[in-house]
Amino acid sequence: LCRMAMSLVAPRQPRPPPAASWLLAAWLASRLGGAGARGMRSMEPARQCFNGELAHRLCCLGHKFDDHMKECWPPALLEQELDPYVACCGWVPDVLVYAPPKTATKYLLESVRNSWLRVAQSHWHSMANYEFERMKPPCYVITVARNPYLRHVSQYFYFAVQNEKSLAHLELRHGDAILSRMMWTGRWATEKDFSNAPFNFLRADFKKANLAHSTDFAVNWFRRFGDVVGVDLFDAGKRRPHSKYIMINASAAKCKCNVLVLLYEHLRHWGMAMGRFLPSVHLQTKVKVNTAAEFFYNGLYKKFVARLRYTSNETEAMCESDTMFLSFYTGRCVKRDGKWEILPGTRQALPTMEEMRRHGLVVRR
């Protein structure tokens, strides 16, 4: 019924449907409820129309031919669907949730979906760039910063044990190299192996993953975010050094989409920020946020964090990641006796010059 209604107002050609088409379909889906409503908000294509990920991206971005010079939208394909673009490419998002892993992106994703806005989510720059290229103004991008002191531990525990199905999906979607970049080491075959591992074994495996992640995936994540979206978060932070979040207006910044930068450590301020950024989105209080409490390793995670002391090379690598150059984390990296020390939390009042000389500190301002 939804597809029949859409066909009355949507032109039969491979391009995103007009707003009126989507609004009519959304109204019908809300009348139907259940699976129909959930389906209307999905960014995933209904079926595989193209030969490979690269062909999918090229064709859905409007190219006439794919990477093998095969026609993207032959008449036979257009005749198979009432709306071939949506069927083959998924809806064009209004909102992109684009942030590092373990920053409550699932929470944001579900909240935006419940507002009937079309939303896509990605941790990876290549996938985010694809979705961003498809978006049309007015559009919205939401990202989240989190101090690596705990974000890296949270990510390591989350990806420590992966089944074959999950690994196959990740390899297919992102390639073989992505697994090591996600802090998955392959050391733990089962939840039992992981849960029963001695602390020193876990610590050694985490250190290996943390150093690799800090010097690769995390080292310039927000700079690459800026390249994709067309904004400078570091400059924006300097303009609002004590803010709990940052909003960037597309017109003022001369970029395509409005941008909201949230701070994981200030989750309680998200509702106020979202009320100013996207008033139609009401942050849900019953949506799961993928916290450690939801997983088998909850108790182990708490014990690990309580005993965790970072080594000097880990600390140096984490302090060199561009997350720690955001204004939110000013003063969280301290150099004591020639060695960097990373502190949890967010920006604190900086010590005076006299205090720094007395204690032999160098604070990254």
Side-chain angles (χ1 to χ4, degrees):
L1 180 61
C2 296
R3 287 160 60 108
M4 289 174 64
M6 289 163 55
S7 67
L8 297 176
V9 292
R12 187 167 173 167
Q13 52 185 317
R15 64 186 178 88
S21 170
W22 176 76
L23 288 172
L24 175 58
W27 179 83
L28 285 170
S30 68
R31 296 283 106 185
L32 293 172
R38 289 192 298 272
M40 292 308 304
R41 291 175 288 184
S42 175
M43 294 295 103
E44 294 295 325
R47 66 187 186 87
Q48 180 64 44
C49 302
F50 311 107
N51 185 23
E53 187 75 24
L54 182 55
H56 177 95
R57 295 188 193 186
L58 290 172
C59 294
C60 292
L61 288 175
H63 293 262
K64 293 182 178 180
F65 301 96
D66 65 15
D67 53 324
H68 298 291
M69 295 308 296
K70 181 180 178 181
E71 187 178 2
C72 283
W73 303 98
L77 178 58
L78 298 180
E79 292 171 0
Q80 291 178 24
E81 299 287 348
L82 293 174
D83 195 327
Y85 185 90
V86 172
C88 296
C89 302
W91 291 102
V92 174
D94 305 303
V95 181
L96 175 60
V97 178
Y98 173 19
K102 304 309 296 174
T103 53
T105 52
K106 180 181 177 182
Y107 171 60
L108 291 170
L109 185 68
E110 293 298 327
S111 296
V112 177
R113 276 178 178 164
N114 287 336
S115 71
W116 281 109
L117 288 168
R118 294 171 289 188
V119 57
Q121 180 257 354
S122 181
H123 302 306
W124 322 114
H125 302 294
S126 59
M127 293 300 296
N129 183 67
Y130 161 70
E131 297 291 1
F132 185 77
E133 287 295 319
R134 300 169 67 212
M135 296 169 75
K136 305 295 180 184
C139 49
Y140 306 85
V141 179
I142 304 171
T143 192
V144 185
R146 183 182 183 184
N147 190 322
Y149 188 98
L150 286 180
R151 191 191 75 77
H152 289 192
V153 186
S154 181
Q155 183 170 334
Y156 171 76
F157 271 72
Y158 183 77
F159 286 110
V161 182
Q162 296 292 315
N163 58 41
E164 293 184 2
K165 184 178 179 180
S166 298
L167 294 176
H169 169 76
L170 292 168
E171 289 179 359
L172 179 65
R173 192 75 184 270
H174 303 291
D176 296 343
I178 201 67
L179 296 175
S180 60
R181 302 185 73 206
M182 293 167 59
M183 302 186 76
W184 179 79
T185 63
R187 174 77 181 271
W188 317 109
T190 66
E191 293 180 1
K192 183 178 180 180
D193 291 342
F194 187 66
S195 300
N196 294 336
F199 174 81
N200 58 322
F201 284 22
L202 284 176
R203 182 64 184 93
D205 195 56
F206 169 69
K207 178 181 178 181
K208 173 185 173 182
N210 189 28
L211 285 171
H213 187 71
S214 299
T215 55
D216 178 25
F217 180 88
V219 67
N220 59 357
W221 197 95
F222 284 100
R223 290 187 179 91
R224 293 190 65 184
F225 171 94
D227 292 340
V228 171
V229 179
V231 296
D232 186 339
L233 299 186
F234 305 96
D235 181 66
K238 291 176 182 177
R239 298 170 187 269
R240 307 170 187 84
H242 300 286
S243 179
K244 300 295 189 296
Y245 57 88
I246 298 172
M247 289 198 303
I248 300 175
N249 180 273
S251 299
K254 298 181 180 179
C255 56
K256 184 166 75 172
C257 299
N258 300 299
V259 178
L260 174 65
V261 187
L262 296 171
L263 187 58
Y264 183 89
E265 289 84 358
H266 288 303
L267 189 67
R268 64 185 182 276
H269 294 284
W270 285 19
M272 178 174 60
M274 194 64 71
R276 294 183 59 197
F277 186 70
L278 273 174
S280 63
V281 176
H282 302 285
L283 294 183
Q284 306 299 307
T285 57
K286 296 183 180 180
V287 175
K288 293 183 179 180
V289 192
N290 272 355
T291 60
E294 301 170 28
F295 297 98
F296 73 93
Y297 53 73
N298 181 35
L300 181 64
Y301 175 85
K302 291 179 178 179
K303 292 177 182 177
F304 186 88
V305 170
R307 295 181 62 181
L308 178 62
R309 300 293 182 272
Y310 284 109
T311 63
S312 59
N313 53 350
E314 283 179 289
T315 298
E316 184 174 0
M318 295 164 75
C319 283
E320 287 301 319
S321 67
D322 64 358
T323 300
M324 301 308 292
F325 288 84
L326 294 169
S327 60
F328 300 128
Y329 301 109
T330 300
R332 295 291 82 194
C333 279
V334 178
K335 202 168 190 178
R336 192 190 308 271
D337 299 327
K339 295 182 179 180
W340 284 108
E341 177 184 350
I342 187 170
L343 305 174
T346 60
R347 181 187 183 109
Q348 303 290 327
L350 295 177
T352 65
M353 295 299 294
E354 176 59 31
E355 290 173 328
M356 291 171 62
R357 282 194 295 268
R358 188 186 313 144
H359 298 287
L361 301 177
V362 177
V363 179
R364 180 179 288 161
R365 294 181 177 266

